[in-house]
Amino acid sequence: MNHTQKQPHARLLVVDDSLDELRLLKQLLDAHNFQLSVAFDGHQGYTRAQLLQPDLILLDVQMPRMDGFAACRLLKADPRTRHIPIIFLTAAQSTQERLTGLSIGGVDYVIKPFSAEEVLARIHIHLKLSTRGMTVADALDQGLKHTPDEVLLQAGIQLIRSCLHEPLTVEDIARRLGSYEKKLSAVFRQHTDLTVFAYLREERLKQARNWLAETESSIQAIAEQLGFQNAGNFATAFRERFEVSPSTYRKMMRCAAVANVSNAS
């Protein structure tokens, strides 16, 4: 593949705790006129991305202190960095890991040990796509600033909403964000007046309400899909929140829909 078309102004941030991998990538990318910066863990990578505003990030998955997934969640929750394309670097070839990385905002994967031609091809592709795909909203976002707590909050909310089906604990959520339970709990209480668990429960119940009204899924199935231990626990929680049982709420919504159709005709 021909890579004679160089991009001398493209700024890349490589985040990897392996000095050998960094050395190889530096040699490769320096030879192709990229402006290169490096970081050695996810936290340092997130901080440098805020400061440097690179055009693309190559992000290792398995790192100490903060892994690549946690760093990606923060980067995508921050208006200053959410537009930056992230290519994950990983030695693992697990389909589930790749799906996780793509679902939280990564645009691609490079499997280690990597081929120089493949790394360059993927970088060039996503730099071009990123330039074409930049929207007015993305440009405006870059001028916004969130405090570290606000970024952590938004990353936590996005994680919760995408994992309602999982039996999450506060410790699980904090770990996936590269934070710790006490810090995350304080941020949620300050900004939402709810504990992390209460916020998670509220999001599950709001989703349950939507599914009861809009789908034919059984109450048991809805309970399972939203991480409740069983239909009984789900029904109790739903009744406490909305003062009506799930089955009664579904009947009310169906009656309302029928009435709306009759009125319209």
Side-chain angles (χ1 to χ4, degrees), residues 72 76 85-88 100-108:
C72 182
K76 293 303 174 180
I86 295 172
I87 299 177
F88 282 109
T100 297
L102 296 172
S103 71
I104 63 176
V107 296
D108 210 341

Side-chain angles (χ1 to χ4, degrees), residues 152-167:
L152 181 61
L153 174 70
Q154 291 305 314
I157 289 172
Q158 291 171 18
L159 173 59
I160 285 170
R161 288 175 176 171
S162 65
C163 298
L164 293 177
H165 61 290
E166 296 185 32

Side-chain angles (χ1 to χ4, degrees), residues 9 41 50 99 157 187 192 264:
H9 302 299
D41 62 54
Q50 291 176 301
L99 289 174
I157 289 172
V187 167
T192 70

Side-chain angles (χ1 to χ4, degrees), residues 36-127:
L36 186 63
S37 300
V38 300
F40 301 98
D41 62 54
H43 183 270
Q44 190 179 63
Y46 169 57
T47 302
R48 291 191 176 176
Q50 291 176 301
L51 177 66
L52 300 172
Q53 288 292 303
D55 297 301
L56 183 142
I57 299 172
L58 292 169
L59 182 60
D60 189 24
V61 174
Q62 298 297 330
M63 292 181 288
R65 190 180 181 190
M66 180 187 288
D67 67 23
F69 288 162
C72 182
R73 289 185 174 101
L74 295 180
L75 288 163
K76 293 303 174 180
D78 192 326
R80 294 166 293 180
T81 55
R82 66 169 59 128
H83 64 285
I84 303 172
I86 295 172
I87 299 177
F88 282 109
L89 303 169
T90 181
Q93 299 192 33
S94 155
T95 300
Q96 186 55 53
E97 181 178 283
R98 292 199 297 274
L99 289 174
T100 297
L102 296 172
S103 71
I104 63 176
V107 296
D108 210 341
Y109 261 93
V110 171
I111 304 297
K112 298 179 181 180
F114 51 77
S115 151
E117 286 287 309
E118 180 184 6
V119 172
L120 291 171
R122 293 182 188 275
I123 288 173
H124 284 299
I125 287 168
H126 291 292
L127 285 173

Side-chain angles (χ1 to χ4, degrees), residues 12-32:
L12 305 186
L13 174 63
V14 181
V15 188
D16 199 322
D17 64 320
S18 168
L19 293 179
D20 290 338
E21 300 285 356
L22 286 172
R23 190 178 299 112
L24 288 172
L25 286 168
K26 185 176 187 330
Q27 291 173 354
L28 172 65
L29 299 174
D30 281 348
H32 286 78

Side-chain angles (χ1 to χ4, degrees), residues 185-205:
S185 296
V187 167
F188 265 78
R189 280 195 296 268
Q190 179 183 353
H191 292 276
T192 70
D193 292 325
L194 295 172
T195 66
V196 180
F197 183 75
Y199 190 93
L200 170 60
R201 188 183 184 90
E202 179 69 12
E203 288 296 312
R204 282 174 168 161
L205 291 173

